[in-house]
Amino acid sequence: MDGQLKSCLADRLAMIEERIGAACRRAGRQRSELTLVAVTKTVDAALAALLPELGVLDLGESRPQELWRKAAMVPGPVRWHLVGHLQRNKIERTLPLVHVIHSVDSLRLLQALDQEAAKQQQRVQALLEVNASGEPAKHGFGPTEITGVAPKIDQLRHIQVMGLMTMAALEDAQERSRPTFALLRQLRDQLKGSLTRPHRLEHLSMGMSNDFEVAIEEGATFIRLGTVIFEGLSETKR
Ligand SMILES: *Cc1c(COP(=O)(O)O)cnc(C)c1O
């Protein structure tokens, strides 16, 4: 049963790698410039644990509690990524477990993370979530807001802002995500000039199952995939 599931998963990953490779070639980019984060929120820890065995070491969760739970259950050298909203009362427990927080959606959260990082004597890597598609229901900094708060971000020394993250509007036609991704890249380039070390602004976390190839063409360095990896496999969830 597990063997079958594992070979299904291996096939899926091989197919996805082919699509990633093709998108990289179209964009003249190297595969090594980008990291696939497997978002495991729809599957159980046993299924998530197969990923590192298949060479996928970057796993993502959108809810902090679920990240805590899976981090305790999935063995091996896994790098956990938080891709969803973090409430401030969950910072303390999340920090020691997480490799990158993709979803820092306010200055207040960023400052609270910086403080806790100082307390825990940790360097925290974070991306700023930008609501680049302009939908009111979404978390994140507004595209104009973010350049305004850059001087405040630049004062923080315990958190390292590594780049920007966005979610495009969910559309069937992946081309419709392209303007959102292009805007995120422009913002990143702008912001680079106003932030100094330890901040680096090298990364763009963008692209999900429905639009990751366009995201790669537009410069993504992290793509966050769930459905395309796990669809249909989670029915075997035990
Ligand atoms: C669930 C989720 C993903 C993965 O989405 P799929 O469309 O299933 O690939 C990526 N990013 C975030 C923030 C998510 O919550």
Side-chain angles (χ1 to χ4, degrees), residues 39 41 62 83 165 167 208-209 224-227:
V39 180
K41 68 185 175 200
S62 57
V83 301
M165 177 272 218
M167 291 170 76
M208 303 175 20
S209 290
R224 311 178 307 266
L225 304 183
T227 311

Side-chain angles (χ1 to χ4, degrees), residues 1 3 12-13 16 30-31 34 41 56 63 66 79 85 129 132 144 154 169 174 181 183-184 193 195 208 222 228 230:
M1 169 95 182
R12 284 283 170 85
L13 290 169
I16 292 165
Q30 302 290 320
R31 172 65 181 89
L34 101 131
K41 68 185 175 200
V56 177
R63 294 176 53 236
E66 190 59 18
R79 295 180 287 261
H85 182 62
E129 181 170 354
T144 47
D154 202 42
Q174 62 167 331
F181 296 154
L183 174 61
L184 196 73
L195 294 183
M208 303 175 20
F222 290 106
V228 71
F230 299 114

Side-chain angles (χ1 to χ4, degrees), residues 95 112-124 158-159:
L95 275 197
L113 279 165
D114 187 71
Q115 261 179 27
E116 184 63 28
K119 206 155 116 200
Q120 296 189 14
Q121 302 193 337
Q122 279 217 32
R123 173 64 61 79
V124 180
H158 304 283
I159 191 158

Side-chain angles (χ1 to χ4, degrees), residues 23 47 94:
L47 184 41
T94 302

Side-chain angles (χ1 to χ4, degrees), residues 4-175:
Q4 227 179 55
L5 200 55
K6 193 170 166 181
S7 73
C8 277
L9 201 53
D11 289 347
R12 284 283 170 85
L13 290 169
M15 180 198 76
I16 292 165
E17 276 303 328
E18 252 174 55
R19 291 173 60 185
I20 292 174
C24 284
R25 283 192 295 280
R26 283 197 298 277
R29 303 184 61 202
Q30 302 290 320
R31 172 65 181 89
S32 57
E33 295 170 29
L34 101 131
T35 301
L36 161 64
V37 178
V39 180
T40 53
K41 68 185 175 200
T42 59
V43 300
D44 63 11
L47 184 41
L50 296 176
L51 287 158
E53 294 179 21
L54 294 166
V56 177
L57 301 183
D58 291 273
L59 305 187
E61 278 293 330
S62 57
R63 294 176 53 236
Q65 298 99 309
E66 190 59 18
L67 189 150
W68 304 344
R69 210 175 64 81
K70 286 211 180 84
M73 294 176 73
V74 176
V78 171
R79 295 180 287 261
W80 283 101
H81 298 249
L82 182 68
V83 301
H85 182 62
L86 177 61
Q87 298 91 342
R88 277 176 300 146
N89 63 3
K90 302 203 168 60
I91 291 176
E92 187 179 355
R93 229 183 125 177
T94 302
L95 275 197
L97 300 175
V98 84
H99 178 60
V100 180
I101 302 172
H102 289 235
S103 41
V104 178
D105 51 15
S106 70
L107 183 61
R108 207 159 153 229
L109 175 61
L110 191 68
Q111 288 167 333
L113 279 165
D114 187 71
Q115 261 179 27
E116 184 63 28
K119 206 155 116 200
Q120 296 189 14
Q121 302 193 337
Q122 279 217 32
R123 173 64 61 79
V124 180
Q125 305 190 104
L127 305 170
L128 305 177
E129 181 170 354
V130 180
N131 183 356
S133 61
E135 288 162 286
K138 286 213 170 124
H139 287 287
F141 291 88
T144 47
E145 178 190 5
I146 201 160
T147 42
V149 296
K152 291 209 167 106
I153 296 173
D154 202 42
Q155 290 167 7
L156 306 177
R157 282 291 169 264
H158 304 283
I159 191 158
Q160 180 178 27
V161 176
M162 300 167 69
L164 304 180
M165 177 272 218
T166 201
M167 291 170 76
L170 288 177
E171 304 268 5
D172 290 336
Q174 62 167 331
E175 276 305 322

